[in-house]
Amino acid sequence: MKFVFIFVLMCSLAFGQATYPTDYFDSPLEVPLQLSANFGELRSNHFHAGFDIRTQQRTGLKVLAAAEGYISRIKISTYGGGKTLYISHPNGYTTVYCHLDSAVGAIENFIKDNHYKEEAYETEMFLKPDQFPVKKGQIIALSGNSGGSGGPHLHFEIRDSKTENIINPMLFGFDKKFTDTQKPILSTLYVYPLNDSTTVNQSRRPLVLNVKLQEDGSYLSDRVSANGKIGFGITVRDKDNVSPFKYGIYKVVSFFNGNPNYEYRFDSCSFDEMRYINAFMDYEKYKSTGQKVQQLFMRKKFPLSIIKTDAANGVLTIVPNLASSYRVEVSDFYGNTTSINIPIQYDSLPVLIPAAKPASKYVINSGKDAMFSKDNATVFFPAGTFYTDFSMDFDVRQGTVYIHEDTVPVHSYFTVTIDDSTFGAGQRDKVFIAEVRGNRLNYNGTALKGTTFTAKTRALGQYKLAMDTTAPLVKITKAIEGKNADSKSVQFIISDDLSGIKSYNGYINDKWILFEYDYKTKRITHDFADGIVVKGSNTLKVVVVDNVGNSTTFETQFFRN
């Protein structure tokens, strides 16, 4: 019977392995491939959806179609992927190319025409198969640094065209384009007491465990003395033989007393699952220290498809008269594996380190709605807002609403409502609910009904009403008033210190012109090659509006030979 139980348990943790074509897609760049980030890496609120391919710290490299297909979608955004092309392929997959500097040829002309047709920089277009067919290896764009890029590189993805699920490019044969003989690198091992009555090494708080490297390359931790329900977490990174960067890991399997009890593997994921990373990681540790600890258990089960667990969701129950062992195996895509062995014994010694915080009178049951009110403020949490149950701190003091701390992850939006009649009728449209971050106030889209202000947010913390009556700043980088503008472009710095920029528009001789916006430098740039400028005298106007309607208009006249 014991053999049957173990076999069933192992089957319950097994991943189905889909079959992918391994010789269909080629490299999207002509330079030797080096990664700065791989598939599944842990990011803020999401898992990394593809490869970040290095572009030799520069822009303008040729970006190639990885296979035959057609450009099915074009998206230009200020943030996120920036300038992005999507190619749909006849084998049912779509490749995605992000942070581009520009498309090339007819594709770029089509994009530029659409900007002017919509009179907008941010745009999204869905195309038909016969509009822009491409061949494998065809140049489709130049690499760049647009959108949310932290430096020049190409973000490259492979998706299932039907489901939009992202898939690890390594599964399509990209593993053959790299060399990796290096094992994952363990940085830290944590142990967690998982209820109020559990102690670990006489502590009711998470602890770092000492580990020692063994002769066979595995790690052995100090013995854990515990009682009740516990779990473990790791910080670990991987390297290959060709890049100086460290990456996320591919696969983790843990074993309790020889039986598999928790596993995840970064093969494929849906975008709807991305935010569950905040339950996957130790969110409190991440927000307080920046450390990304991967928890090898679920406090409360959540639907993240990369994870398979036993019936206890990876949680270990330590009972008297039974010595236990726990093993973690961390692997990269090439099978290089690092093992960590943790001996565990039961104890009931007195608590030396108590829990970090006393319980609050406000209790969140994650499966139910909750509403708390005080003075002129109310917060409402729909069922499913949080991943786990917890005691919440809530208060209102001197006009500020205190909603716990941003150390508990929030999955879906909750509502903050503040009633305030001290603002006059002519002032209220300039008022918004701001998130207080130190000395900074962050704008939240706010609805107004009478004297009641309402905003939706997905971050715990402090909120208060703020009024913005200051117009945005608009500054030309090189004065052209009354001069001959002989440069290739005109550029402005635009900013707003409180509610933030909502829109900007430029006009030459009363015709709308395209300004490309780089939020990292706060600059908007118009290329005179667009052909709106005329020989002789020209008028230029730039209008910038913030999120509560304050606006600034810059006007000048210049000449063009």
Side-chain angles (χ1 to χ4, degrees):
M1 288 297 293
K2 182 178 180 181
F3 171 79
V4 173
F5 171 76
I6 293 173
F7 177 77
V8 172
L9 182 63
M10 291 181 70
C11 288
S12 70
L13 266 66
F15 284 82
Q17 182 67 59
T19 301
Y20 300 99
T22 57
D23 57 358
Y24 189 86
F25 295 111
D26 207 345
S27 171
L29 294 174
E30 294 178 323
V31 297
L33 287 189
Q34 286 190 350
L35 300 183
S36 58
N38 66 354
F39 184 85
E41 276 194 359
L42 310 183
R43 300 290 178 87
S44 178
N45 295 320
H46 69 285
F47 301 99
H48 193 235
F51 284 171
D52 281 350
I53 306 175
R54 302 182 70 190
T55 56
Q56 302 176 335
Q57 299 180 319
R58 58 193 176 102
T59 62
L61 271 62
K62 296 175 183 178
V63 178
L64 315 176
E68 177 186 5
Y70 72 96
I71 295 177
S72 55
R73 182 182 174 191
I74 301 169
K75 185 175 183 180
I76 312 294
S77 58
T78 302
Y79 304 94
K83 298 180 180 181
T84 303
L85 297 181
Y86 300 73
I87 298 179
S88 291
H89 305 280
N91 66 345
Y93 298 102
T94 296
T95 50
V96 185
Y97 311 76
C98 301
H99 307 307
L100 302 173
D101 183 73
S102 65
V104 296
I107 306 169
E108 178 66 11
N109 293 336
F110 177 81
I111 294 171
K112 186 65 68 69
D113 290 344
N114 197 73
H115 284 307
Y116 277 93
K117 178 181 177 181
E118 296 186 356
E119 294 191 354
Y121 173 60
E122 294 197 316
T123 184
E124 187 169 16
M125 297 159 271
F126 294 89
L127 310 180
K128 297 178 180 179
D130 59 350
Q131 286 183 269
F132 291 107
V134 295
K135 298 293 185 181
K136 186 174 187 176
Q138 179 179 329
I139 302 170
I140 58 170
L142 300 177
S143 69
N145 188 31
S146 60
S149 172
H153 72 278
L154 175 68
H155 175 89
F156 174 74
E157 297 177 16
I158 300 179
R159 301 183 184 181
D160 182 297
S161 298
K162 186 175 182 180
T163 65
E164 281 284 304
N165 288 354
I166 50 172
I167 306 168
N168 192 336
M170 289 292 193
L171 296 167
F172 292 86
F174 277 82
D175 57 318
K176 301 171 186 174
K177 302 180 186 298
F178 305 94
T179 302
D180 184 353
T181 59
Q182 303 190 49
K183 293 182 178 182
I185 305 160
L186 174 69
S187 299
T188 319
L189 174 65
Y190 283 89
V191 60
Y192 294 81
L194 296 182
N195 57 33
D196 294 338
S197 60
T198 295
T199 60
V200 176
N201 295 351
Q202 296 183 269
S203 172
R204 287 196 170 146
R205 303 184 194 182
L207 296 175
V208 175
L209 297 174
N210 293 322
V211 294
K212 296 179 181 178
L213 185 62
Q214 306 299 294
E215 289 186 2
D216 64 357
S218 67
Y219 290 90
L220 177 65
S221 86
D222 289 349
R223 185 178 299 277
V224 172
S225 297
N227 56 70
K229 297 185 182 299
I230 67 172
F232 289 88
I234 55 174
T235 59
V236 61
R237 300 288 279 167
D238 191 34
K239 275 184 64 65
D240 63 21
N241 296 16
V242 297
S243 173
F245 290 89
K246 294 179 181 178
Y247 312 129
I249 54 176
Y250 171 63
K251 178 183 175 183
V252 170
V253 185
S254 64
F255 302 84
F256 184 45
N257 293 330
N259 299 322
N261 75 323
Y262 183 95
E263 177 180 352
Y264 66 83
R265 187 170 66 195
F266 283 109
D267 283 342
S268 179
C269 189
S270 75
F271 285 100
D272 290 341
E273 298 178 279
M274 285 293 196
R275 198 170 177 86
Y276 287 111
I277 189 174
N278 293 327
F280 177 81
M281 287 195 304
D282 182 339
Y283 186 83
E284 181 175 3
K285 180 69 67 176
Y286 172 62
K287 297 301 288 189
S288 59
T289 69
Q291 191 177 35
K292 298 174 182 177
V293 181
Q294 303 167 44
Q295 298 178 144
L296 307 182
F297 59 89
M298 297 180 177
R299 295 177 187 269
K300 202 170 189 178
K301 193 171 182 66
F302 52 90
L304 180 55
S305 62
I306 64 168
I307 299 175
K308 307 296 179 185
T309 75
D310 61 7
N313 296 324
V315 173
L316 318 181
T317 301
I318 310 305
V319 297
N321 304 318
L322 180 64
S324 301
S325 65
Y326 185 73
R327 186 173 85 257
V328 183
E329 295 182 354
V330 184
S331 305
D332 62 23
F333 192 85
Y334 295 82
N336 303 305
T337 300
T338 296
S339 297
I340 308 113
N341 295 290
I342 305 122
I344 306 171
Q345 67 181 14
Y346 177 88
D347 86 24
S348 56
L349 295 173
V351 176
L352 296 181
I353 304 174
K357 273 188 174 183
S360 169
K361 67 177 181 178
Y362 298 97
V363 177
I364 292 290
N365 181 330
S366 59
K368 296 182 178 180
D369 293 349
M371 180 182 289
F372 306 133
S373 297
K374 184 180 178 182
D375 298 339
N376 64 332
T378 299
V379 291
F380 173 68
F381 304 100
T385 300
F386 301 99
Y387 303 108
T388 58
D389 307 339
F390 68 101
S391 295
M392 169 175 282
D393 294 327
F394 171 74
D395 200 0
V396 180
R397 301 192 303 271
Q398 298 180 330
T400 299
V401 186
Y402 294 81
I403 314 171
H404 208 72
E405 298 176 354
D406 188 20
T407 54
V408 175
V410 179
H411 187 71
S412 54
Y413 286 94
F414 63 91
T415 303
V416 180
T417 301
I418 303 175
D419 186 84
D420 194 320
S421 59
T422 61
F423 295 102
Q427 297 175 310
R428 292 173 197 153
D429 62 344
K430 305 296 183 186
V431 176
F432 62 94
I433 294 178
E435 181 186 11
V436 183
R437 291 277 184 175
N439 295 324
R440 183 174 178 81
L441 300 178
N442 293 334
Y443 175 80
N444 286 281
T446 302
L448 173 64
K449 185 175 182 180
T451 60
T452 301
F453 301 86
T454 302
K456 293 184 180 295
T457 180
R458 286 200 288 190
L460 299 176
Q462 301 174 26
Y463 292 86
K464 65 185 293 185
L465 294 179
M467 184 166 65
D468 183 0
T469 58
T470 304
L473 172 69
V474 180
K475 181 181 179 181
I476 195 167
T477 58
K478 181 181 179 181
I480 57 174
E481 175 72 36
K483 299 179 181 179
N484 179 46
D486 56 0
S487 59
K488 294 181 179 180
S489 62
V490 62
Q491 189 175 82
F492 290 83
I493 296 173
I494 62 173
S495 62
D496 187 83
D497 288 339
L498 192 50
S499 63
I501 301 295
K502 180 179 181 180
S503 66
Y504 65 90
N505 285 282
Y507 305 87
I508 288 181
N509 303 326
D510 296 324
K511 294 182 179 179
W512 185 89
I513 58 173
L514 174 65
F515 272 102
E516 295 194 5
Y517 180 40
D518 182 355
Y519 80 92
K520 298 186 287 290
T521 61
K522 299 182 179 179
R523 294 172 185 259
I524 57 173
T525 304
H526 171 68
D527 189 341
F528 285 135
D530 285 3
I532 307 300
V533 67
V534 298
K535 185 176 181 180
S537 178
N538 292 266
T539 60
L540 170 65
K541 181 168 71 172
V542 176
V543 182
V544 181
V545 183
D546 68 17
N547 278 300
V548 296
N550 300 308
S551 66
T552 296
T553 300
F554 177 98
E555 294 184 274
T556 191
Q557 183 181 30
F558 66 96
F559 297 90
R560 188 81 172 173
N561 289 334

